[in-house]
């Protein structure tokens, strides 16, 4: 499924958080979004997910303006995993994941054994099946993040948007979640802080002060000059002698 932003702008109290952003995500593509804190990555993801309506421009889902679509139809196609989502409800991990099935339920389409199987598989995929009956408030930050990813998987989206999904995860679960996302037969847009993780994306977009300032393959975008200009760091790009992958080492720019 294709996702397109056309000249999207979004502001709050006169402060531009997105400024004339145009972007096309191809079906099946894994697109990485990078940039400093406050550059607009989260706002762009929320606009692409249909959670915030752009003040200017428009977002299209398979060439259909999202503004004209019912929210249920959007939720049947797009799942969004936020950096951190909290609840004060006394709710269990399995119940959180079951919420991913909400767009597909109605009085004419009640909960079925197939929904149970989808939820079970989602919990299993993120390694949370043994903790499925635990209450939300007893879970660690990393466990909660894996539950949220499972909820998105249970939604069975055609487009998956993730806002720095590995922030609260230990390195083992970071790698397993990124590997799982890469294997999914869906279009993926993922905001990342770890630039070495961004190397595995098909394409990368760079955000600065609400604008998309660079776009291309990891090799085209993640250059020493770009990293110095955008992040203020000096990067040494080396090749792993085992698998020949490019790896970046960083130090503060002088």
């Amino acid at each position: 499924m294709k996702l397109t932003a056309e000249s999207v702008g979004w502001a709050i109290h006169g402060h531009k958080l997105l400024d004339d952003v145009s972007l096309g995500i191809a079906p099946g593509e894994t697109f990485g979004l990078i940039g400093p804190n406050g550059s607009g990555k989260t706002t762009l993801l929320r606009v692409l997910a249909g959670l915030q309506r752009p003040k200017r421009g428009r977002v299209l889902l398979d060439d259909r303006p999202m503004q004209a679509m019912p929210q249920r139809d959007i939720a049947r196609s797009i799942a969004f995993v936020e950096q951190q989502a909290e609840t004060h409800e006394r709710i269990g991990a399995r119940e959180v994941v079951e919420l991913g099935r909400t767009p597909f339920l109605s009085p004419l389409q009640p909960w079925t054994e197939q929904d149970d199987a989808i939820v079970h598989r989602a919990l299993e995929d993120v390694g949370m099946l043994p903790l499925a009956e635990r209450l939300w408030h007893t879970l660690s930050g990393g466990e909660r993040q894996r539950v949220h990813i499972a909820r998105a998987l249970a939604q069975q989206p055609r487009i998956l948007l993730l806002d720095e999904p590995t922030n609260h995860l230990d390195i083992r679960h970071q790698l397993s979640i990124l590997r799982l996302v890469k294997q999914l037969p869906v279009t993926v847009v993922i905001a990342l802080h770890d630039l070495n993780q961004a190397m595995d994306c098909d394409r990368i977009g760079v955000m600065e002060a609400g604008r998309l300032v660079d776009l291309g393959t990891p090799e085209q975008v993640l250059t020493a000059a770009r990293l110095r200009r955008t992040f203020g760091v000096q990067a040494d790009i080396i090749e792993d002698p085992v698998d020949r992958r490019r790896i970046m080492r960083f130090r503060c720019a002088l």
Side-chain angles (χ1 to χ4, degrees):
M1 177 170 268
K2 182 170 62 173
L3 185 63
T4 307
E6 294 182 346
S7 302
V8 166
W10 205 86
I12 184 168
H13 303 310
H15 177 64
K16 290 183 179 180
L17 299 183
L18 295 178
D19 186 8
D20 197 29
V21 176
S22 293
L23 176 64
I25 311 295
E29 181 176 20
T30 297
F31 185 89
L33 201 58
I34 64 173
N37 289 338
S39 60
K41 301 187 300 296
T42 296
T43 303
L44 179 57
L45 285 174
R46 290 185 63 84
V47 169
L48 292 175
L51 299 177
Q52 292 177 188
R53 181 176 295 183
K55 308 290 187 181
R56 291 185 293 103
R58 61 178 186 167
V59 177
L60 300 99
L61 194 56
D62 268 354
D63 298 321
R64 183 181 176 189
M66 195 179 290
Q67 185 174 340
M69 298 176 61
Q71 194 62 43
R72 176 182 285 265
D73 288 353
I74 296 173
R76 287 179 172 181
S77 299
I78 298 177
F80 178 45
V81 178
E82 300 183 74
Q83 283 189 48
Q84 189 170 352
E86 297 296 343
T87 178
H88 297 293
E89 299 293 330
R90 192 171 178 82
I91 188 171
R94 186 185 299 276
E95 293 172 284
V96 173
V97 180
E98 288 174 351
L99 292 174
R101 302 303 302 157
T102 302
F104 304 94
L105 302 178
S106 73
L108 298 178
Q109 291 179 291
W111 191 272
T112 67
E113 290 184 0
Q114 182 181 8
D115 295 303
D116 277 327
I118 290 169
V119 168
H120 183 96
R121 174 63 185 273
L123 285 161
E124 189 173 47
D125 282 343
V126 301
M128 284 298 292
L129 196 56
L131 302 180
E133 308 311 320
R134 286 267 298 272
L135 290 175
W136 176 260
H137 71 275
T138 69
L139 299 175
S140 69
E143 289 165 346
R144 293 180 186 185
Q145 187 71 345
R146 284 190 281 152
V147 169
H148 277 303
I149 294 171
R151 187 264 310 156
L153 296 180
Q155 205 169 321
Q156 294 191 316
R158 297 172 66 186
I159 298 176
L160 180 60
L161 307 179
L162 304 109
D163 190 5
E164 298 177 14
T166 60
N167 262 8
H168 302 287
L169 303 182
D170 58 54
I171 186 62
R172 180 171 69 90
H173 287 111
Q174 285 186 32
L175 295 175
S176 65
I177 290 298
L178 290 172
R179 183 170 59 249
L180 171 63
V181 168
K182 188 70 175 178
Q183 293 171 347
L184 294 173
V186 299
T187 305
V188 175
V189 184
I190 180 169
L192 292 164
H193 262 314
D194 190 324
L195 301 183
N196 279 306
Q197 292 176 353
M199 299 280 271
D200 288 331
C201 296
D202 298 315
R203 284 192 305 151
I204 294 173
V206 183
M207 297 291 295
E208 284 184 15
R211 297 184 66 88
L212 185 67
V213 298
D214 209 346
L215 179 65
T217 65
E219 291 76 16
Q220 293 169 330
V221 171
L222 296 177
T223 64
R226 166 53 63 192
L227 296 173
R228 184 184 184 94
R229 189 158 57 245
T230 298
F231 296 97
V233 297
Q234 185 66 42
D236 297 315
I237 301 174
I238 61 177
E239 188 177 86
D240 189 305
V242 176
D243 59 12
R244 322 308 295 180
R245 294 176 69 245
R246 296 167 77 235
I247 301 173
M248 291 175 288
R249 296 186 305 187
F250 303 101
R251 60 182 186 276
C252 289
L254 299 178

